[in-house]
Amino acid sequence: MRTDPKTMLSPAESRDLRCVAGMMIPPSAAFGVPGADDAAIFADITASLGRDFADVRQALGALAALSGGAFADLDEARRAAVAEAFQARGGAALVTLTRVILQCYYRDDRVVRSLDLEPRPPFPKGHMLEQGDWSLLDPVRARPKMWRDVPPR
Amino acid sequence: MNQIVDVLIIGSGASGAAVAWSLAGTRMKILCLEQGDWVKQSDFPSNGRDWEARRYGDFDISPNRRARPTDYPVNDDNSPMKVANFNGVGGGTIMYTAHFPRMHPSDFRVRSLDGVADDWPVDYAMLEPFFAENDRMMGVSGLAGDPAYPPKQLPMPPLPLGKTGTRYARAMNKLGWHWWPSDSTIATTEYDGRAQCINLGHCTPGCAQGAKASTDITYWPHAIRAGVELRPRCRVREITTNEHGMASGAIYYDADGVERFQPAEMVILACNGIGTPRLLLNSASSRFPNGLANSSGLVGKNLMLHPWPQVRGYIDERVDGDRAPMLSLWSKEFYETDPARDFVRGYTLQFHRGTGVVNEAITSAAVGRLPWGQDHHRVYRDLVYRRLQIGIACEDLPEEHNRVTLDPVLKDSHGIPAPRIDYTISENTRRMMEHGIARAEEILTAAGANNLYTSRTILNSPGHLLGTARMGIDPERSVVNEWGRCHDVKNLFIVDGSIWVTSGGVNPTSTIQALALYIADSIKQRLATLFD
């Protein structure tokens, strides 16, 4: 398959992205959720880079530079140390990388269900909202006027 | 060449739509040029599973980030607050929260009452009938009896309190502070062809249900039925003038990028506090070398943006999150000037219901509150749907160094010079912000929240673009007169937020539209002598 290097990550970049996604959000048996490196979630991430592609590539470049090569090839201890340094450095590219992972992870059906929510768009079903107790306003209703009178022009 | 029209309106947003509708009854030939497109309800993010992600993409509130072909870039590097807007039929009303407070009576008399800035040449009493007319046209929900305002009636009942609102209400009652259901342009009943709100949440980037009032579904259908022509995808480059120094029309690029001239007897600008000064400055000529209508030198100056700190905290139960309109309550406890404080003027507190699943993760990660690794899941579950958040809508006073100019390098897709803004937050506003932050922390604590976090200036907040072509009696100290006509060009009017003299501490759309209706009414009253 031919890929466009301006819009598609290289295999090495893709491997590093998947690895960092899994470190950011690992699977959890306790909560019954996959990690962000899950195949379906990762496919969503790479398909959703769009206008964030350049920032993500820049972040992955910084990660590779900190790693002295491929981040995914480091041993576990070294990966943890590099990931910590990567986060400590911060920057706009890291914020973008984090966002693209989170926005795909938290719309995965399995993850959404684990939060006791329905995996669906808001429209057309909407949501129910309780009216609440309007008698709570009674002490405010009893207040004198608060606006200032203005002098005549 | 296009046929001459009686009235050429530039911009179809909050003010342009209101003035078009009001003038339609005159039987004048009215044309509105809008640089953006119509937006369909089926295009809005809440139709799809990617609804939260699209707020960081094609429905981002920043034109620089959104970068649609219909947007123009803004150089806001020299400002701690970034510009938010939307370019399309309906303008900023497509992308607002629908929070709809009026200015208060004192907001129009700040010099007389507080000795700062300037009084407006109009006041609340003059605008009151136009506020009411606008409430009817936009369809406002709310509750009569708010002690913070002179009496008013709203066409629809208020948005529900919900779980989050109840939590805030109890906290405010414990503190003995004012709170009240907000006026909102979200329909709580069927209204003028609009469906009732079904709590999609995510109201800001457009309402798929059509319950949120944006002018494409409120004013425009009525105006178009009354004979007004609205031409989308037409970006105006400059206002032209004739040998008498009167506006003669506008040069614009149509949807195919073809340059065209639209002649007009009268031109009305409704392009917001950034777009209007940009257009006036881009309309410089040998007769108006410093920009059109700029003999005062004030075009672009006195930009006000409403600094808007946010304080959030988390409680021990799940509340409404993003499953309802974001804003439904306000507090005016600290709105009016109090001599005991170390600042003048004041602010509104706005109570947020919470945020969505994705946005909670993104915003918490961005401030280092959502760890990587196994602990991510536990921490996240202590955050999601447990957020309370209070916004502090601060009045910033006019200062000439806060301004819009033309960027020497940056241009839009048609090669038209883009705006640049230079803006700093004043010491008075900073003290006001800190006061508001401290009160918000008290409220959140009273509501049982912990894990508090404050953002002093949130990016892209809040899209209130005011003051850059101010109104006034004195031509040396203002750009337009007390009914919106430019002092220098007697057939050129401005009706958007750029004519504001001061900013108040409220979302401006209600007052922008009331002013536009007032100006339209003034035009109608003076038709025989309008250009004298």
Side-chain angles (χ1 to χ4, degrees):
Chain A
M1 186 176 71
R2 298 179 67 179
T3 59
D4 180 354
K6 290 180 183 161
T7 57
M8 296 281 287
L9 297 176
S10 70
E13 289 170 325
S14 192
R15 238 162 33 96
D16 278 358
L17 177 59
R18 188 165 187 171
C19 186
V20 81
M23 287 190 73
M24 186 184 295
I25 313 177
S28 167
F31 292 102
V33 287
D37 56 351
D38 168 84
I41 294 170
F42 188 66
D44 187 16
I45 292 169
T46 53
S48 304
L49 294 178
R51 64 179 71 207
D52 296 316
F53 179 83
D55 274 354
V56 170
R57 169 163 277 173
Q58 186 187 332
L60 292 172
L63 186 66
L66 280 172
S67 305
F71 176 69
D73 289 342
L74 300 177
D75 64 43
E76 197 174 328
R78 177 75 186 130
R79 270 208 308 267
V82 169
E84 195 174 326
F86 184 51
Q87 289 181 76
R89 243 173 58 155
L94 173 63
V95 169
T96 303
L97 176 84
T98 306
R99 175 168 52 74
V100 300
I101 292 169
L102 291 170
Q103 72 191 21
C104 294
Y105 183 78
Y106 281 106
R107 69 184 179 208
D108 178 81
D109 286 4
R110 295 160 292 175
V111 176
V112 173
R113 284 199 186 92
S114 80
L115 299 169
D116 297 324
L117 300 169
E118 280 184 87
R120 63 170 175 88
F123 185 80
K125 195 173 171 185
H127 301 284
M128 291 300 295
L129 186 66
E130 63 191 58
Q131 192 58 232
D133 177 7
W134 285 111
S135 72
L136 286 164
L137 257 185
D138 289 348
V140 191
R141 290 181 200 273
R143 288 180 67 144
K145 86 173 182 64
M146 297 167 64
W147 77 88
R148 274 196 287 178
D149 290 319
V150 297
R153 300 184 68 80
Chain B
M1 191 173 80
N2 292 308
Q3 283 194 320
I4 192 167
V5 296
D6 297 311
V7 182
L8 173 61
I9 300 168
I10 301 170
S12 70
S15 61
V19 83
W21 169 79
S22 180
L23 291 178
T26 62
R27 302 292 177 189
M28 291 191 286
K29 186 166 176 49
I30 301 169
L31 168 67
C32 177
L33 298 179
E34 164 56 52
Q35 67 188 314
D37 283 307
W38 287 95
V39 187
K40 299 193 295 285
Q41 282 171 219
S42 56
D43 290 338
F44 289 133
S46 52
N47 286 283
R49 288 292 303 279
D50 57 352
W51 77 92
E52 291 190 88
R54 289 181 68 192
R55 294 190 64 169
Y56 298 93
D58 63 336
F59 275 88
D60 199 290
I61 58 175
S62 163
N64 294 336
R65 165 88 186 159
R66 196 171 56 235
R68 294 177 177 219
T70 47
D71 286 316
Y72 58 88
V74 179
N75 180 351
D76 51 19
D77 292 345
N78 193 33
S79 171
M81 298 174 65
K82 307 305 177 188
V83 168
N85 68 12
F86 189 78
N87 298 300
V89 176
T93 61
I94 298 289
M95 195 76 106
Y96 73 150
T97 59
H99 208 233
F100 216 61
R102 300 176 180 185
M103 292 263 275
H104 294 233
S106 64
D107 290 328
F108 299 92
R109 306 299 297 277
V110 299
R111 166 62 68 179
S112 298
L113 291 171
D114 297 323
V116 292
D118 289 300
D119 288 349
W120 291 52
V122 296
D123 59 29
Y124 187 92
M126 292 165 74
L127 293 180
E128 199 156 27
F130 302 102
F131 276 124
E133 183 172 47
N134 190 54
D135 285 353
R136 182 177 60 79
M137 286 301 294
M138 290 293 279
V140 176
S141 63
L143 185 66
D146 186 346
Y149 276 102
K152 54 185 159 72
Q153 294 296 325
L154 291 316
M156 286 179 278
L159 293 163
L161 268 180
K163 286 191 175 71
T164 317
T166 299
R167 194 91 180 206
Y168 286 127
R170 292 202 170 110
M172 294 301 277
N173 285 351
K174 195 188 296 182
L175 293 165
W177 290 347
H178 170 267
W179 63 279
W180 200 261
S182 313
D183 295 356
S184 169
T185 55
I186 294 169
T188 51
T189 61
E190 289 187 12
Y191 190 88
D192 191 25
R194 279 155 56 200
Q196 179 180 348
C197 175
I198 54 171
N199 302 306
L200 303 180
H202 303 278
C203 308
T204 303
C207 178
Q209 170 80 344
K212 183 178 92 168
S214 44
T215 60
D216 57 327
I217 60 170
T218 58
Y219 277 106
W220 277 115
H222 293 285
I224 289 168
R225 275 200 294 276
V228 178
E229 182 189 355
L230 171 55
R231 215 177 282 166
R233 288 304 288 263
C234 293
R235 174 174 282 155
V236 175
R237 187 183 75 199
E238 63 181 277
I239 309 299
T240 55
T241 51
N242 62 22
E243 66 275 20
H244 306 296
M246 300 282 273
S248 56
I251 297 170
Y252 69 96
Y253 297 98
D254 70 13
D256 298 319
V258 176
E259 182 182 315
R260 298 193 180 279
F261 175 63
Q262 176 60 57
E265 300 286 357
M266 180 198 324
V267 177
I268 299 177
L269 299 186
C271 311
N272 78 44
I274 303 286
T276 285
R278 177 199 185 201
L279 185 50
L280 291 171
L281 295 171
N282 272 323
S283 301
S285 62
S286 56
R287 188 175 189 122
F288 299 101
N290 298 319
L292 193 56
N294 196 22
S295 65
S296 66
L298 291 173
V299 168
K301 292 183 178 172
N302 296 303
L303 175 66
M304 296 171 284
L305 294 175
H306 278 158
W308 207 278
Q310 304 266 357
V311 187
R312 66 184 192 242
Y314 295 86
I315 56 177
D316 57 359
E317 63 167 345
R318 278 193 172 193
V319 280
D320 300 322
D322 63 340
R323 292 170 292 191
M326 182 174 85
L327 296 171
S328 65
L329 302 175
W330 62 40
S331 172
K332 304 290 187 174
E333 185 69 29
F334 306 102
Y335 195 85
E336 303 288 356
T337 295
D338 180 346
R341 299 183 201 132
D342 62 352
F343 59 90
V344 292
R345 311 298 301 152
Y347 55 86
T348 300
L349 294 167
Q350 296 189 347
F351 300 88
H352 294 234
R353 287 194 199 271
T355 193
V357 169
V358 168
N359 199 49
E360 183 61 70
I362 290 171
T363 53
S364 292
V367 297
R369 298 205 163 195
L370 188 58
W372 290 23
Q374 269 307 329
D375 213 26
H376 175 99
H377 300 287
R378 181 192 60 78
V379 172
Y380 178 75
R381 280 158 177 76
D382 285 341
L383 301 174
V384 67
Y385 282 126
R386 292 165 191 263
R387 179 190 292 209
L388 301 182
Q389 181 166 312
I390 298 175
I392 302 147
C394 295
E395 172 167 359
D396 54 338
L397 293 166
E399 298 175 279
E400 290 191 17
H401 61 86
N402 289 333
R403 65 193 186 274
V404 178
T405 54
L406 297 178
D407 192 274
V409 177
L410 192 64
K411 292 181 169 51
D412 67 21
S413 57
H414 291 94
I416 306 170
R420 166 196 160 105
I421 69 167
D422 293 87
Y423 180 85
T424 56
I425 297 173
S426 74
E427 194 51 41
N428 185 70
T429 309
R430 285 196 185 282
R431 287 195 287 264
M432 187 189 302
M433 290 166 63
E434 293 308 316
H435 188 274
I437 289 166
R439 300 296 81 73
E441 288 172 348
E442 284 183 67
I443 296 164
L444 292 172
T445 302
N450 52 41
N451 195 16
L452 304 190
Y453 176 81
T454 297
S455 169
R456 279 174 166 70
T457 54
I458 55 170
L459 293 180
N460 307 127
S461 71
H464 303 168
L465 313 169
L466 307 167
T468 50
R470 65 198 331 225
M471 68 191 321
I473 308 290
D474 181 356
E476 293 189 1
R477 295 296 308 148
S478 55
V479 177
V480 302
N481 71 7
E482 68 274 26
W483 40 282
R485 190 180 73 177
C486 290
H487 292 299
D488 299 351
V489 185
K490 295 195 185 312
N491 65 341
L492 178 62
F493 292 76
I494 305 175
V495 295
D496 58 63
S498 56
I499 65 176
W500 284 36
V501 180
T502 55
S503 69
V506 296
N507 311 58
T509 306
S510 170
T511 308
I512 285 173
Q513 292 185 301
L515 264 174
L517 293 174
Y518 158 79
I519 291 170
D521 190 66
S522 301
I523 289 172
K524 289 188 283 191
Q525 305 277 345
R526 294 173 166 87
L527 274 180
T529 58
L530 194 58
F531 306 146
D532 290 350

